[in-house]
Amino acid sequence: LTVFPLSLCPSLCCQCGVPIPPNPANMCVGCLRAQVDITEGIPKQGTVHFCKQCERYLQPPGTWIQCALESRELLALCLKKIKASLSKVRLIDAGFIWTEPHSKRLKLKLTVQKEVINGAVLQQVFVVEYIVQSQMCEDCHRIEAKDFWKAVVQVRQKTVHKKTFYYLEQLILKHRLHQNTLRIKEIHDGLDFYYSSKQHAQKMVDFLQCTVPSRSKSSQRLISHDIHSNVYNYKSTFSVEIVPICKDNVVCLPPKLAQSLGNMSQICVCIRVTSTIHLIDPRTLQIAEIDGNTYWRHPFNSLFHPKQLEEFIIMDINRVHEKKKGAGAGARSNKHTLAEAWVRKTSELDTDHQYFCCTHLGHILNPGDLVLGFDLANCNLNDEFANKMNPQHIPDVVLIKKSYDRSKRQRRRNWKLKELERDREGTDTDDERQYQDFLEDLEEDETIRKNVNIYRNADIPVESDTDDDGAPRISLAEMLEELHISQDATGGEGAEMLT
C-alpha cells in the first residue's frame, strides 16, 4: 500500500469530472476558460495611421515616428494603443505574426495572465489585428503646399564666383542639414532654405556661422493673432551674408589689418575659405587667417574678377630656400615653396616682354609650365587701399595656380559629388565652368577634400598612371561607394518573427 501526500492526490473537475492536479479553482483548464475570459475588454482590432511620403507612423496625439516593420518601436506603438485595457492583466509576451507587407495588416500575438477564481492564475494567448490606414502628416502637407512655411534662411554672397556655395552645399549634404527643409530655392546670388519651424531655421543659421565666415540678422512678420487664446503666428526671416571673398581671389588688405597680422603685405592671395579666410603673401609665404568678425570690422574686396585670369608661361624660375623674416612677421606656410620667376603672357609670345614676380607655387612650377595669374602692371585697380599703396610695393604679376588640360581632367575624372535638390530660377551659362573650377580645387587641395563626401563614379573606368600629365588626382582610398539601400519590408531590428 502506497501513501501519497494530500497535495499530490488527483482530484476531479467539478464541472466535467476529469481527473486533474489539485488547484484552487478545482476545475480543469478547459472548463476554467469556458467560465472566465481574461481577455474580455481588450480590443482585438485597432487602427494605425501611416504616412506614405515620409514613411512614419502616428503616435497619438500628434507625434510622427520612424518605425520599421517588425521593429521594437512599432511593437511599442501598437501596445500603447491598448495599454489601458492591459492594465487589468499581466502581459507576459508580445510579438508580431508575419503578414504580407502590402496587406495593410499588422498582427500581434499577446500572452497574458490573470488571477481568477480562488487565486488560480490563468494564462491565455490571443491575437490583436491592426489595420494600417494612410494619412499624410503635417510636414508632408507643408512640403506639398510648398508655400506653407514659417521660417526662411536667406544665404547671400556678393560675388560672381560660387566656389564658397559649392563647398557649403557639400557640407550641408555631409551633415544632413537639408532633411528638415520644405524647399530649397536657388537665386542668382544665393540660396533660400524654407522650414516649418523657427527652431530648424535657427539650427541652420548656427551651422552656417560655424562653417563659413558670415554675419546674420533676423526679423519676423505677424501673420495672424487669436485674441481669445492669445496665440500669435509669425513668419521668421534669417538673413545670412557670407564674406565676399572666394578661393584664388587677390585682395588688398587695409593697412591696420595687415599690420595686426604680423606686418603682412597688403597684396595677398586667398588660398582657402573655411570657417575663416586663409591668406598667403606670395612674396614671403606668410600666412594668416581672418574670421568673420575681423573681416566685418576691417572689410576689403577682391581686386579682380575670375574671368580676368590670364595665362602665363614660365620662362625661368629660381626657388628661394631662405628668406629673412621681417620684424614681427607671423607664421609661414610649410606646404608652399617661395620662388622668383620670369613669365611671359601666352598672348604675347611674339614679343620679348617678360614679367618678374615672386610666387608661392615654387613646389609645382617648372620652366615651360603654363600658369594662371593676374596682371597688375597693365590694369586699373579700383580699390581704396590699393590706390594709396606705394607703386613699388605692388607686384607686376600675381600667379594663382598651375594650368592643366581641362578636357583631359574631365574625361578621366572617376568620381562625383551629390547635389541638393533645389528649385532654380534660371541656369547661368557660366555655372558649369564655375562648378568645374570647384572640382579642380578639390583635386588640388587635400584639406578641403576632408570635409567633402566624394563618391566613386562606376561609369568611368580607372585609368593607369602611365598617361599622367602631372595633374592632381584623387586616390581611390578617398572615395566612397555610393550605396543604394533597399530595406526589406520585414527588415530592421525587432521581435522574433512568429509563424
Side-chain angles (χ1 to χ4, degrees), residues 382-401:
N382 186 17
D383 185 83
E384 58 174 329
F385 304 116
N387 293 334
K388 297 178 183 179
M389 287 183 61
N390 187 344
Q392 296 180 355
H393 296 162
I394 300 178
D396 294 338
V397 173
V398 176
L399 302 181
I400 300 299
K401 60 181 179 179

Side-chain angles (χ1 to χ4, degrees), residues 8 20 29 92-93 130 145 208 258 288-289 325 339 353 406 412 471:
L8 298 180
I20 59 172
V29 176
I92 301 300
D93 187 25
Y130 291 92
L208 293 175
E289 296 182 11
K325 275 191 175 184
H353 190 195
R406 168 166 286 186
R412 69 182 187 184

Side-chain angles (χ1 to χ4, degrees), residues 227-281:
I227 60 175
H228 301 289
S229 59
N230 200 27
V231 174
Y232 293 83
N233 185 18
Y234 290 99
K235 277 192 175 182
S236 302
T237 301
F238 296 88
S239 177
V240 180
E241 183 181 359
I242 304 175
V243 296
I245 304 297
C246 292
K247 185 180 182 295
D248 297 336
N249 283 166
V250 177
V251 299
C252 183
L253 300 178
K256 291 184 178 180
L257 179 60
Q259 184 179 5
S260 66
L261 296 176
N263 293 325
M264 199 171 184
S265 175
Q266 288 184 247
I267 302 296
C268 298
V269 179
C270 177
I271 57 175
R272 192 181 305 114
V273 176
T274 55
S275 57
T276 57
I277 304 172
H278 298 255
L279 300 177
I280 188 170
D281 184 357

